[in-house]
Amino acid sequence: MITVKNLKKQFGSNVVLDGINLEVKEGEVLAIIGPSGSGKSTLLRCLNLLEKPDAGELIIGDKKINVKKMSSKEIYQLRQQTAMVFQHYNLFKNKTALENVTEALIIAKKMKKPEAEKIAMEILNQVGLGDKVHQYPVTLSGGQQQRVGIARALAVNPYAILFDEPTSALDPEWISEVLQVIKKIAEQNSTMIIVTHEMQFAEEVADRVIFMADGNIIEENTPKEFFHNPQSPRTKQFLRRLGAGEENV
Amino acid sequence: MNFNIDFVYLISLIPDLLPFIPLTLFLAIVTMVIAVVLGMGIALVLRSGIPVLTHLAIAYVSFFRAIPSLVQLFLIYYGLPQIFPALSGMTAIAAAILGLSLKQAAYLAEIFRAALASVDKGQMEACLSVGMTRVQSFRRVILPQAVRNATPATGNIFIGLIKETSLAFTLGVVELFAQGRILAASSLRFFETYLALALLYWAMIIIYTFIQQALEKRMERPYQS
């Protein structure tokens, strides 16, 4: 279980997270949607402490942390509970696809190289890149790079995987292959939190959807209810705008 | 004008000068190694933002970039022993290496700082997000990419340094340039002697440039599509 209690974050005078409370059950897939600047990426980045929250409590699995008095050891331990897939992939540019996946296994988890490579090969095959393992990121398409990013996150076998707009930087032609891979992982009972702008994908893959605006969770529901019977005016307005956008395409 | 240049004489000087190249290279390489280590330390301090240390590092870079190499060498070799008598045993070679490396470290610190800063922040975040520590991330991912960024400018510093070692002659070190002066003074054939010297420095730089190009090509491999 992931529990977030009264999480607060400010950038200067700009309140980005205004006391967020949230629970994610083991094996649950949570989609976070909302307009730009609503705080959804910041919330995700606070979960692995890439952003330091100003106040609140985080519990991920058996690691509990009060963000006001956390030691660097606690930060390190909490981070090991999750892995993140980034909008801009952030593959290690100096390492091959295979090395990108084995790196954390060998360096952080102290695995022997052959063992790490075996795991990495399995996962890279799973994301459909078995034939690209010795290529450097620069030689891979956006979709392939993001699939390596997903493999890298999967490899460390985290308690939960955090997806930060995993398809936002992709050319349209690569989006579906990445979404397919994420969907496949979701079906394997992984705990996942996905910040996304892909509404249809969110509806298909998520067990629950939350809508954020101005640093608050405005609405929270099953995908079916959320998309077809939204309650709050903010949610209705947001979904209507997206709908209008889609019709114009 | 007098175009009476004796090329045969010029070439005959080369064997007399060649034995001094090892000392020149020794000065350059030892200085460079010290400067790289020191420069990296200063770059890390500049990056750390730790209050007092950072200010000291800024002052260091400012001072050692500002004073002429000659002034610095004299300050160390002739000046320091007056204040610290224990240093009066310092050899001229040690003083030259110390002076030049303190100076080059200041330049390198700026190059390394910029090279580290130009590594995408997402690289560190990705390392941390899969459970690596900051030290592990720095060593395995950030540093290798920064080294690639820093190599061309660092190579320039080394080329400059090979030439700056000639300043060691002012402390009485008989390196390549000092030997040239000795030969010129005895033969009075200044043009041929100094031209021979110039050609030898040029040759060293050409060889070094070749080595650096090969190194850069190797380092570029992961980044070529």
Side-chain angles (χ1 to χ4, degrees), chain A residues 45 48 50 76 79-80 82-84 86 90-95 103-104 107-108 110 136-139 152-153 156, chain B residues 120-134 136-137 139-142 144-145 221-225:
Chain A
R45 289 165 56 81
N48 64 358
L50 288 182
Y76 175 67
R79 271 195 195 125
Q80 290 204 315
T82 59
M84 182 172 261
F86 295 85
N90 293 358
L91 294 190
F92 308 135
K93 291 178 190 162
N94 56 327
K95 296 184 184 294
E103 184 68 12
I107 301 302
K110 309 288 177 209
Y136 285 98
V138 75
T139 66
R152 178 175 68 183
V156 295
Chain B
D120 180 10
K121 283 198 168 45
Q123 297 286 306
M124 175 61 96
E125 292 191 346
C127 292
L128 297 177
S129 78
V130 288
M132 290 163 71
T133 65
R134 280 189 177 275
Q136 288 168 344
S137 314
R139 193 166 51 82
R140 304 279 310 177
V141 174
I142 310 301
Q145 294 184 35
R221 238 186 279 153
Y223 306 92
Q224 277 163 352
S225 50

Side-chain angles (χ1 to χ4, degrees), chain B residues 128-178:
Chain B
L128 297 177
S129 78
V130 288
M132 290 163 71
T133 65
R134 280 189 177 275
V135 174
Q136 288 168 344
S137 314
F138 183 80
R139 193 166 51 82
R140 304 279 310 177
V141 174
I142 310 301
L143 190 60
Q145 294 184 35
V147 166
R148 172 203 176 214
N149 295 340
T151 299
T154 304
N156 264 342
I157 293 282
F158 186 63
I159 287 174
L161 182 58
I162 291 176
K163 296 175 289 177
E164 286 231 314
T165 56
S166 60
L167 292 174
F169 102 91
T170 61
L171 305 185
V173 179
V174 183
E175 39 66 72
L176 186 58
F177 175 68

Side-chain angles (χ1 to χ4, degrees), chain B residues 23 26-27 30-31 34 72-73 76-78 80 87-102 168 171-173:
Chain B
L23 179 58
F26 171 80
L27 288 172
V30 173
T31 300
I34 297 171
Q72 196 172 324
L73 292 184
I76 288 171
Y77 190 55
Y78 300 113
L80 274 188
L87 292 177
S88 54
M90 179 165 49
T91 66
I93 287 180
I97 288 173
L98 179 63
L100 292 174
S101 45
L102 289 177
L171 305 185
V173 179

